[in-house]
Structures are given as C-alpha cells and as structure tokens.
C-alpha cells in the first residue's frame, strides 16, 4: 500500500536547506577561521546526508509517493518536488556516498595549503543539494536549473586545484561537454511541454510520431552526463583532475543523474519505438567493452578508474536496453530482470567506484603520486586501504560474493531469457551475454593489474616505500563502503525485493511464473554463503595443518636468482601489453621505444600512451573545423563595450519589431 | 538431402572463419580450393527433381575451376613472386574472427527477414551465402597482399554461387556462368598483373600501389 | 534431488585427482614409457599436506589466501554442477552464470596470489592467464547460451537432464568448442605445456612457482577439480539418455570423465603447443564454434 510521502519530502527539503545554509556559512567562515569553516561544512553535509538517507530509505521501503509545490515566480517554472520509488532509489546512493566522501574529505585536505576550505565546502554541499534536487524535481524548468547548478558546482570542484594547468584544462573540457548536453535537454523539455503549455512532468505529452526522435535527443543530453561512449570524453579528464572525494561523488553519483534522466524519460514518455531499445542495448555494449579496454591501457590510477565508469555506465545501459526490449516485445520477465539489474548496478557502482576512488585518493595522499608504475608493495604499508581496495576491485569485476556480481547476474539472466526466444531478440541476448563476459574478463585483467602493481610486490619508488597508512577519517569511509559491497552481495535477494516498486514503475507489475518468490534466486545466496564458509573452513584447516611445522621466510624464488630488485618486477604496461597490443587498432596508442641494441646494451626505454580515441578522432578535428568556421565572425569581437551594447540594442529592436508586426 | 546440405553449409561457414584467421597464404589458398570443391556438390543436392544435366555440369565446372585451376594459378603466382607467407593485415586475425562472428549474426538476421520467392533448400542457405559474400569483401578490404585480395574475389564468388542455389529452380545458370567467367578473367588477369608488378617492384603489397597514384609521395 | 545428486560432490572431491593420473598414463603409453602410478597425485597430496612452508618476504595474506579461495570456488561450483544426467544438488535459473563467475573468482585469486610475489616470472604467467581468460569467458558463456537455447532451459541441471535435443552438427560444434575450452582452461597441451621446465613458456605452472606445502597441495587438488568441473560440462553433451537409475547415470558420467582424461592424454601426446600469439585465436575459434552452434539452432 503506497504511503503518503509528505513527511519524507519535508525531511528532504530540510536536508536541502541545511546543505545550502552550511555551505554558505562555511564559505563565509573560511575567510577568518579554517577550522570553523571545515566544521561547518562537514557538519552540514553529514546531517543533511543522514536525514536525506533516512528519508530515501523510508520512502523506498514504504513505497511512499507524493508531490509538493511551492510558489516560484519563474515563467513556466514551478518549485514542484515529488517523491516516488524511482526518486527514492536514486537518492539512497546519492546521500550515502556523498556523506561518506564528505568524511573522507575532512581528513583528505589536511593541510589545506592556504586554500580556502570554505570554497570547497560551499561547492561540495551545493553539488549534493543540486543532485538531490535533480532527482526530486517534477518541473522541467526546475530540473534544468538544478541540472545547471549541479554542473557548475562540480565544475568549480574539478578546478578546485586551480593552480594546476591540467585541472583548468579538464574543467574547461567538462564545462563545454556538459553544456552541449544541456542544450539537447532544453530542446527535449520544450518539445515535451509544447502541447500542454506547461512544464510540469505530469502535463508532458509526446507529440505524435516523434517519440523516437525525442528519446534520441534525450539520450544525447543525458548520455553526455552519464559518460556513454562516444560522449564520454570529459570523464577521463575531469575525474583525475578533481580531488579524490569529489571524483568519488562525481563518478559514483553525479554521472548517475544521467541514468536517472534516461529512466525518468522512459517513465514520463511511456512507450518508445523498438529501435530505441536496440540502440540503448548497442550503446551499452559498446560503452562497456570500449570503456574497460581504454582503462586497461592507462597508467594513471584515477584515469583508469574514470574509464571504468564508462564501462559500468555501459553495463547499466545494457541492463536498461534489455529491459526496454522486454517491454517492447512483451516479455515481462526480461523487462523486470533488465531494469532491476540496471538499477541495482547504479547502487552497486556508486558503492564500489566510490570506494575505489577514495582508495586511489588514499594512495595519492600517502605517496604523492597516482602513477601506477611508481607504486608497489602498498598492501604491507597500508593494510586497511589495501584490503578495502581489493574488496572494491573484486566487486567491480563482477565477481561473487560481492555486490557487482548481483547486478550483473540479473542482467545476465535477463539476456539468457531472451535466448529462449527465436530470431532477432535472441541475437540481442547473445550480444548482451558475450559483451558482459568480455567486459568481465577485461575488467578482471584490468584490476588484477591495478591491485597487483599498486599494492603487491615491492615498491617501485622511494615514495611508495615510505608510505604509511592514512588517518582513520580516511580509512573509515572506505571500510564502510567495502562492508556494504559484501553485504549487498550476500543479501542481494532482500535488496532486489526492496527495489521491486522502482522496477515496476518501468517494467510494469512483475509477474514471473517460474520464480514466484521474486526475481533473485534464494539458492544463489546459499551457494555464496557456502563459498564464504568454505573459505573460512579451509583457512582453519590450513592453520591446523601448519601448526607445529616449520614456517620460514625467504626471498621470492626467481629461478635461483637470489637478489631480485624492484625494477625486475612486471610493470603495469607489461602486464596489460598482450591485450592492449591485440586491440592496437582500437586503442591507437603512441609508443616511443628505444630498444636495447648491440651485445652489451647500455640503456633502453619504452613509453606508451593511449590518448582518448574519440577525442583524437572525433572531437579534436570537429572543434578545429568549428574554430576555423567561426573565425569568420571574429570581426564582431571588437573588445569594446560600446559595440556589445550596440549589438544588444539592435537585436532587441529587431525582435520587438518582429513581435509587433507579426 | 537437407541434412547433407546443412553440413556443407556449416563447412562453408567454418572455412570462412578459418580463412579470416589464416596467416599463411598457402593454407588460405588450400581452404578456398576446398570451399570451391565442396560447393560443387551443392547444385546436385539443391535440385528437387533429381539430377539434371545442367546442374551436374555447373557443379563439375565450378568445382574444377575453383578447386583446381585457381589454386594452381595462385600457387604459381606465390612461387614466382616468393611472397612472404605471412599476411600482414590491416585488421588483426583475432579482430577479424570476432568481426566474422558479428557479420555471421547479422547475416542470420538479414536472412530471417529477406523475402524469398521459394522456401530455400535449407534455412541456413541464405545466411551462409551472405556470410560468404561478406567474408570475401572483408578479405579484399582488410588484407594487404594482392593474392589474398584475389582469394577474396573467389570467396565472394562462392557466396554468390551459394545464394544462387536459392534460385536454382528458376534459370540462374546463365547468370551464374557469367559471374564465373568474370571471376575467371579477373583471377587470370590479376595473376599476371601480380606477377608483373612483383617483377618491377619486388613486392606485392597492394597498399604500396597507392604510391603510383598521381601526386603521391 | 536424490542420493546420486548429493553423492556427486563427494565423489568429485575424491576422484578428481585420478584424472591427471589417467592423462599421464596415456601419455606414457604413447611415449612407450611405464609412467608414474595412476594414483601419483594422491601420494603427492598426502606428502604435501604433511609439510611445513616457506614464504617469500614480499608476500602478504593475499598470497596465502589465493589457493584456498580458488579451491573453495571449485568446491562451491561442484554444488551447481550436474554430471551426465545426474542433477546438481543446487539448481536455479541462471546457475550457469554463477558457475562461470566462480571459476572467474578462482582465477582472480590465483592471479592476485601470483602478483603478490613480485616475481617477474609469476607476473608473466598472471598476465597471460588474464589475457586468455578474456577470450575464454565469452566463449564459455556463448557455449552455455547455445545450450540454453537448444534445451530451452536456464539451469545447468535442466540443460543436461536429458540428452540435449539438438541436431548432430550443433552438438558436434558445441562439443568441439567446449573441448578446446576444456584444454585451454586446464592448461593442457595446445595452449600450455604442463611438462615444460622452462618458466618463460609456462602459463599456469609459473603462477604457482612460489607455493609450497599445504598451499601447493590445494593448488594441485584444485587443478584436478577444475578438470572435473569443465569435463562435466562436456560430458553432459555425450549420449546415453537418462537410464532411470541415478547411480548408473552417475557411473556413466564418471566413466565419460575418465574417457575425456584419456582423450586429453592422447591429444597431448600427438600435438605440439601452439605459439602463444596463436592462443587467443584458438580461444576465439572455440567461441565461434559455440556461437555458430547457437545460430544453427535458430529456426
């Protein structure tokens, strides 16, 4: 029985208010007291996230729905907020990860190095508030305002370290990309609201025959934010440039607002043509495979993680595509499994990618570098960070018993169910299955590399050798996230059941004749529990067997060579080389090699970089041409204010005349 | 009957896939020869009214030319040009194979949608034929050596031949013979050209032919 | 679920070490040698489980956990694994995905343990292992997808409950594809040479160079179990339909596994290893065979 959501909405509004006020207060306080500013910022973020999380969880479990409308004097605009299962579900990872990342940030920036902490907290809290507003908005104008506030707040966070040239460059790329995306969204909202003349979501109507074109426009706009290939170019620039807790929030939650947009669009528009479903499926598969392939070729830990966001958004989109196919072909089981898998992966990706970005931040904090080739042996020096990172790595590879497996399992089963049909639909299922398996294999390779080279073996640089475990305020959020990853993995059945109303909003009522107790098999949980129990039992047996026997320590066995050095170890480049070489045509890496020559080679070097293929082959040429084309209008730019005012006057007069004449 | 046709078609598909992954020219020539030989059986099986002289003639002629004459010509060209046996493709073998599977899936999909005047002898006939055509074109596009490109033409013809089996009830013979003749001439001429180019330039990489274009480097 | 179902995991644990013995006997037969005893692996395990241990100073708990996690994954996989016509103790729609991913977790644990030593040899083995897994996993899932379509079932036990009702060419294609995967995943001949003594050419053996004593015992037992698990996926494709007597079905399944081991020994005796660069092609080929099998079942 759906409950009334006004109390939840009230709590959420309160959280938004706290975020705004604490952000502004922190910024004001930052001028005279660093300490007060930080305390204000973190206290506001913490309180708001706790309240918001409570409201969202309660709203989802009670299936609360409701809307409120506050007066707002903007043409077509209304401050109308609504909560339903879909919004409540997206709010859970949002407040959870934002809160934990805020705790991480409070320790991460110490010392602040003369940077005003108020600037960080203002934009951080503003980002969290605007993301929540995007998810709650039920009016097109309000949505766009929140969307824009979110983009701007995150832009200022990306460029927080504005003394670094690469951060400014990354911020610029991000700003351009996100506004191109927003332009598409404005078009979508105008078209949707044209018929009724109202920008309320509830009044939206799809002009006859244009559902497909509208969906495509929306996919372009929201896909840019979500980071779908080939609209992902800003992601590998902005994520590494931003401070780690911000990267965690941006990658874990903010890009999911793009997914939320697509999902909300589906819910608002109702039926979309079948080719849209196929398109979404194909984009998901391509993003997934290419994202992880690009990740494999990276040496910068955070850049690697950023490409994994492209991969995971691809997996989510693959699930949504399957769900849309299920709706289109009238197979409720496929629809339910696809949407449930996609939505669950939204939550899961927020958890493990947040964890991994925080882990990368901890590594950078302890060693001062994100270059994988200069790290190594950190598991001994940072045991907690290492263990949490390993949990995140296993989870992101989709391996049991962690949470990544649960969502990929649902998508897999959805794809296998389409295989029971014949013809084209089954082919779609085969593509999804093979793409998921390929993504899984490549992700395992990539994280074997990331974990193995960064945390295992011997340190490859003095900085890595001198690393120490990060302070408790940094470790605690990571451990919480790791524990949540395992808990959702083992208790996926309950989580999926809680998700049912959100899935039903997209897939219709969930009817599964062969799985009456929900779409997630209970026996799966049993096997996973068995796996954990077996591992513990084996550990105990091993302990008993070794008790009382000699256990000695020695050097690693290297064919009798007893003086190994750190530089003899495999490098990240070398580890991934067989795969990156195989995908040469796709990755197009730049390689500079000075190979050893002669009988007694003196020095040799090998360097490879994998620049973004979409950027190098699509956007850079496009923007170069654009710059040339727009060069024609350069005479308009006189650099004098009078001229600009004159332009405004002329345009105003022409518009006025046109309006009055016609 | 349709069981045997099915096995032939599966062989055809497998041969295409092996060809996509084959790096030795001599092997590639052998595979194409086998493909031609086995395809020669098709007209005999696809005919419903038992054996027809035209069908036997077509089968035998096609098998003879594609199974013996072409391979002999190409092997001679290989010998004379002393071409390196490895093919250095524009698209790697693994990627070619994966592309092959994708194209095969597409062919099955196309095949399921293509309206046909008669139900074909096997459901696999149209997809297999299409896939063979695409494979031939793929080889021509992505391989460097002129010999492999010639092989691509032969595979392309094999595909057209297979598709022709759909219409074997009508009068495909003339069209088929015409195509066969075209390909024969093409292979003959290319064999000679390959030989001559090699004598002049010491290699038969077709991408180096681009250097002959006007204004080229 | 019946007695035979619950008996199978126990039987697998006990009998799996026999498979490498059979392979080695067949190889000895081909080579004109007497060869090691059939029960050699049992003797080895007995010896290893009574030994102490030597650990590298570079390693951490990940190194010690690797073989245990791998072994636990394979035992958990046994719970999902039907043998011949004998259903698995646990089955549900999509259990095949869990099986494939349990194998994946086992592999990840082994690779992580190998990288923990910081040895370049083990790094090399790990790099190759993950590279080949990238091609092997889609191939395995494509094969299972073809079976799911042919039998209209989503669980392993459902697929193998009867002799899969697919045409002979389809079964042959799937069998060939799965056999290549069986050889590759178990590091047998055309992909990896279990007998080589040159670390540079190894894949699996080189990853476990540093393990000794109890840990190595679990590694060896785990490899034998992996032979059993992947062999059972193949054995289910082979003929007799259900006999009606669960225990007889179980015996038939175990018999097929021994025959498979013998076939592996024969392949190893007559084939040379392919170049490492060729292995991805071989694995993609296996996937292509499986995918082709699926496409052929579309009607």
């Amino acid at each position: 029985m759906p409950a009334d959501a006004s109390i939840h909405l009230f709590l959420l509004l309160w959280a938004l208010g706290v975020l705004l006020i604490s952000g502004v207060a922190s910024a004001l306080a930052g001028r005279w007291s660093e300490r007060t500013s930080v305390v204000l910022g973190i206290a506001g973020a913490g309180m708001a996230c706790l309240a918001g999380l409570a409201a969202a969880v309660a709203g989802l479990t009670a299936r609360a729905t409701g809307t409120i409308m506050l007066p707002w004097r903007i043409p077509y605009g209304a401050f109308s907020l609504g909560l339903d299962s879909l919004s409540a579900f997206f709010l859970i990872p949002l407040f959870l990860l934002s809160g934990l990342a805020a705790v991480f940030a409070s320790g991460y920036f110490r010392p602040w190095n003369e940077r005003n902490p108020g600037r960080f907290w203002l934009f951080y809290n503003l980002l969290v508030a605007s993301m929540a507003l995007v998810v709650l908005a039920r009016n097109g104008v309000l949505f766009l305002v929140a969307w824009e506030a979110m983009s701007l707040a995150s832009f200022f966070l990306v460029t927080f370290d504005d003394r670094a040239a690469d951060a400014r460059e990354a911020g610029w790329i991000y700003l351009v990309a996100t506004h191109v995306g927003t332009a598409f969204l404005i078009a979508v909202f105008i078209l949707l609201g044209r018929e009724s003349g109202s920008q309320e979501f509830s009044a939206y109507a799809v002009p006859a025959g244009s559902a497909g074109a509208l969906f495509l426009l929306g996919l372009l706009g929201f896909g840019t934010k979500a980071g779908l290939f080939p609209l992902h170019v800003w992601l590998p620039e902005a994520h590494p440039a931003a401070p780690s807790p911000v990267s965690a929030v941006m990658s874990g939650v903010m890009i999911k607002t793009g997914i939320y947009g697509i999902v909300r669009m589906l819910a608002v528009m109702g039926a979309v043509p079948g080719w849209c479903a196929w398109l979404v499926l194909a984009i998901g598969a391509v993003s997934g495979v290419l994202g992880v392939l690009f990740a494999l070729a990276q040496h910068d830990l955070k850049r690697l993680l950023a490409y994994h966001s492209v991969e995971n958004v691809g997996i989510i989109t693959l699930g949504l595509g399957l769900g849309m196919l299920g709706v289109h072909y009238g197979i409720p089981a496929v629809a339910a499994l696809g949407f449930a898998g996609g939505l669950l992966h939204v939550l899961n990706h927020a958890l493990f990618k947040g964890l991994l970005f925080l882990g990368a931040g901890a590594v950078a904090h302890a060693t001062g570098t994100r270059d994988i080739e200069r790290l190594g042996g950190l598991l001994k020096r940072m045991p907690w960070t290492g263990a949490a990172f390993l949990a995140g790595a296993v989870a992101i590879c989709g391996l049991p018993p962690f949470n990544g497996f649960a969502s990929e399992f649902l998508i897999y089963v959805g794809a296998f169910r389409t295989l029971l049909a014949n013809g084209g639909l089954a082919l779609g299922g085969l593509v999804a299955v093979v793409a998921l398996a390929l993504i899984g294999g490549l992700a395992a390779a990539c994280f074997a590399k990331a974990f193995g080279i960064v945390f295992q073996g011997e340190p490859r640089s003095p900085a890595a050798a001198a690393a120490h475990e990060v302070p408790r305020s940094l470790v605690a959020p990571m451990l919480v996230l790791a524990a949540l990853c395992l808990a959702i993995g083992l208790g996926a059945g309950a989580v999926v059941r809680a998700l049912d109303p959100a899935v039903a909003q997209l897939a219709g009522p969930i009817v599964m004749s062969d799985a009456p107790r929900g779409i997630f098999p209970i026996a799966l949980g049993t096997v996973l529990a068995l796996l954990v129990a077996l591992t513990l039992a084996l550990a105990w047996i091993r302990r008993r067997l070794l008790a009382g026997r000699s256990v000695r320590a020695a050097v690693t066995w290297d064919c009798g060579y007893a003086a190994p050095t750190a530089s003899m170890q495999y490098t990240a480049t070398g580890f991934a080389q067989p795969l990156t070489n195989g995908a040469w045509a796709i990755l197009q890496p730049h390689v500079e090699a000075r190979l050893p020559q002669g009988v007694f080679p003196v020095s040799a070097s090998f360097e490879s970089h994998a620049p973004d293929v979409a950027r190098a082959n699509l956007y850079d040429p496009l923007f170069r041409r654009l710059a040339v084309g727009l060069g024609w209008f350069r005479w308009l730019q006189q650099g004098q204010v009078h001229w600009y005012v004159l332009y405004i006057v002329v345009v105003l007069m022409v518009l006025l005349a046109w309006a009055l004449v016609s | 009957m349709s069981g045997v046709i099915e096995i032939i078609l599966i062989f055809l598909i497998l041969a295409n896939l092996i060809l996509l992954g084959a790096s030795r020219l001599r092997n590639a020539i052998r595979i194409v020869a086998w493909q031609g030989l086995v395809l020669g059986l098709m007209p005999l099986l696809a005919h419903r009214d038992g054996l027809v002289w035209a069908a036997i003639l077509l089968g035998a002629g096609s098998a003879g030319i594609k199974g013996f004459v072409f391979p002999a010509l190409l092997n001679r060209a290989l010998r004379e040009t002393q071409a390196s046996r490895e093919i250095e493709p524009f698209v790697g073998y693994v990627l070619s194979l994966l592309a092959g599977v994708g194209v095969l899936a597409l062919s099955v999909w196309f095949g399921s949608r293509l309206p046909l005047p008669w139900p074909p002898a096997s459901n696999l006939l149209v997809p297999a034929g299409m896939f063979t055509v695409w494979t031939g074109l793929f080889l021509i596009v992505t391989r460097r050596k002129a010999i492999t490109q010639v092989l691509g033409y032969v595979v392309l013809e094999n595909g057209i031949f297979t598709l022709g089996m759909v219409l074997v009830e009508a009068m495909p013979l003339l069209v088929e013979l015409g195509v066969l003749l075209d390909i024969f001439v093409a292979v003959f001429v290319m064999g000679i050209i390959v030989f001559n180019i090699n004598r002049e330039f010491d290699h038969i990489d077709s991408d180096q032919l681009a250097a002959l274009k006007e204004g080229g480097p | 679920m019946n007695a035979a179902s619950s008996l199978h995991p126990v039987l697998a644990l006990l009998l799996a070490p026999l498979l490498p013995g059979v392979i080695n006997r067949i190889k000895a037969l081909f080579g004109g040698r007497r060869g090691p005893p059939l029960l050699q692996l049992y003797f080895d395990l007995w010896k290893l489980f009574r030994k102490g241990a030597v650990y590298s100073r570079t390693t951490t708990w990940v190194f010690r956990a690797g073989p245990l996690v791998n072994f636990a994954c394979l035992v958990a996989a046994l719970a999902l694994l039907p043998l011949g016509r004998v259903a698995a103790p646990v089955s549900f729609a999509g259990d095949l995905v869990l099986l494939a991913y349990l194998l994946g977790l086992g592999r990840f644990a082994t690779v992580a343990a190998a990288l923990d030593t910081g040895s370049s040899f083990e790094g090399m083995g790990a790099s190759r292992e993950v590279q080949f897994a990238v091609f092997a996993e889609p191939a395995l899932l494509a094969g299972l997808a073809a079976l799911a379509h042919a039998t209209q079932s989503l669980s392993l036990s459902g697929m193998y409950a009867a002799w899969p009702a697919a045409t002979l060419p389809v079964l042959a294609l799937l069998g060939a594809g799965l056999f290549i995967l069986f050889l590759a995943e178990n590091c047998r001949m055309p992909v990896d040479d279990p007998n080589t003594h040159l670390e540079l050419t190894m894949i699996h053996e080189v990853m476990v160079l540093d393990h000794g004593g109890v840990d190595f015992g679990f590694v060896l037992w785990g490899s034998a179990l992996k032979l059993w698990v992947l062999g059972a996926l193949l054995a289910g494709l082979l003929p007799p339909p259900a006999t009606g007597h669960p225990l007889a079905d179980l015996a038939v399944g175990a018999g097929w596994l021994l025959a498979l081991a013998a076939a592996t020994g024969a392949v190893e005796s007559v084939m040379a290893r392919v170049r490492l660069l060729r292995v991805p092609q071989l694995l993609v080929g296996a996937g292509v065979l499986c995918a082709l099998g699926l496409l052929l079942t579309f009607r």
Side-chain angles (χ1 to χ4, degrees), chain B residues 38 113 160 185 191 194:
Chain B
V38 174
R113 315 209 115 205
I160 297 172
V185 172
V194 164

Side-chain angles (χ1 to χ4, degrees), chain C residues 119-137:
Chain C
S119 150
S120 46
F121 284 129
E122 281 166 69
M124 185 168 6
S127 166
R128 289 173 184 166
E129 176 85 4
V130 295
Q131 184 206 357
F132 298 153
V134 164
F135 301 102
E137 277 182 16

Side-chain angles (χ1 to χ4, degrees), chain A residues 380 398 400 409 412 416 419-422 430 456 458 542 549-554 556-559 568-569 575, chain C residues 50 53 55-58 60 62 94 96 101 105 112 117-121 127 149 152 199 210 215 294 299:
Chain A
K380 282 193 163 163
F409 174 81
Y412 261 119
F416 268 100
L419 276 168
L420 299 186
N422 249 331
L430 181 65
Q456 297 182 309
E458 293 291 340
R542 175 180 163 278
R549 304 230 178 90
S550 89
V551 176
R552 290 184 294 120
T556 295
W557 194 83
D558 243 355
C559 285
M568 285 166 59
Q569 300 172 92
F575 187 83
Chain C
R50 288 181 306 150
Y55 290 111
S56 158
R57 281 183 205 96
T58 309
T60 60
V62 175
L96 42 98
Y101 272 65
L105 177 62
T117 60
S119 150
S120 46
F121 284 129
S127 166
H149 183 78
Q152 293 286 305
E199 288 84 350
D210 246 65
D215 297 329
L294 176 62
R299 281 291 175 267

Side-chain angles (χ1 to χ4, degrees), chain A residues 199-293:
Chain A
Q199 278 294 327
E200 286 296 300
F201 283 3
S202 52
Y204 274 170
V206 181
S210 62
L214 263 179
F215 185 80
L216 191 62
L217 276 179
L219 196 61
L220 281 169
F222 289 123
T224 310
K225 187 59 96 184
L228 286 171
F229 186 89
L231 308 166
H232 68 281
V233 276
W234 63 271
L235 236 134
E237 310 298 331
H239 284 353
S244 288
V246 176
S247 321
V249 171
M250 282 177 71
S251 173
V253 196
M254 194 193 74
I255 60 174
K256 306 300 165 35
T257 55
I259 298 290
Y260 168 78
I262 295 174
V263 166
R264 179 59 71 188
M265 203 161 56
L266 280 177
V268 167
M269 286 176 60
V272 290
W275 62 262
C276 292
W278 285 103
L279 181 71
V280 171
L281 185 81
I283 289 181
V286 170
S287 290
V289 175
L290 290 186
V292 65
L293 210 50

